Amino acid sequence: MTGVGKFLAIWNRLAKSSCPRCSSCPVEDHLHVPRCSAPTAAAEWSKRHLAFRTWMQTQQTAPEIEAFLFDYLKTVRQPSLGVPTVRAWSRHPHLFRSAISSQATLGAQGLLEGLVSPNWRHLQALHFSYIGSKKSANLWASRLIQQLIRIGHYMWKDRNRLAHSEDSSWYTARKREIDIGIREQFAMGLMDIPPHSQYLFRDSRDTVLNKSLKDCQHWLRLVSRERAINRRSLARQRQMIFDLARPANPTSTRTTGASP
Ligand SMILES: [Zn+2]
């Protein structure tokens, strides 16, 4: 997963990598996104968690599978709950226990990444057969994975919605940092900027500063990169000129006829 705060911070070293939704996470990574404690994140999770159960019901999911997956998903945000003690009755207790055991190995985070035990599909096939349904368990399993991955996607969208809202304190703080970088680049001027990239300075400083955060980040990333590349190139050229101009080292000259 790219774009999460930790990676943004690595890319441009100017970014604030804390979570845009809460203040409790100094370094945001992909594991934090579905676990964020912010009210909007909690509300989004609750909504998606319930929608997942509704989806399982509409797809005639075996009751014991529905009970387990719904409860196990809770542990993403409440790990202290542990693997649920399943009270749901199953016509295939051995297979059900195997499915729980293998899903516990894959972990609750695995669910959000589409890592589900193949035993669920076997159990669901037996359930379809029992209720006389002609539905495909393979298709059911494929859609189950899609639904689970979609939960993580919705959590990510909620995070981005807040991060890109100009009203959020995170947006304001981040824009301030990027603006400092832009001012520094204008202060340095066109020196070290190769001719083919000087168009980036065609707009005035204030015009660039008034662009959106996304556009400002893009501008700063381009200019920083071009300046760094050109500086390295000029340093190499200076070193070559210096090496050519330097007199040959007399100690490296081979002497002849001086046997001990
Ligand atoms: Zn957070």
Side-chain angles (χ1 to χ4, degrees), residues 62 64-65 86-97 123:
E64 66 268 39
I65 300 178
V86 182
R87 288 180 289 276
W89 180 80
S90 174
R91 284 187 183 78
H92 310 280
H94 180 70
L95 182 56
F96 187 33
R97 280 196 297 274
L123 201 53

Side-chain angles (χ1 to χ4, degrees), residues 254-260:
R254 180 180 287 182
T255 53
T256 55
S259 55

Side-chain angles (χ1 to χ4, degrees), residues 19 21-22 25 32 36-37:
C19 173
R21 292 183 292 188
C22 70
C25 180
H32 177 77
C36 181
S37 60

Side-chain angles (χ1 to χ4, degrees), residues 24 28 59 70 77-78 132 195 233 239:
S24 61
E28 185 196 28
Q59 297 301 309
F70 184 75
R77 290 178 62 88
Q78 296 172 271
S233 171
Q239 185 64 45

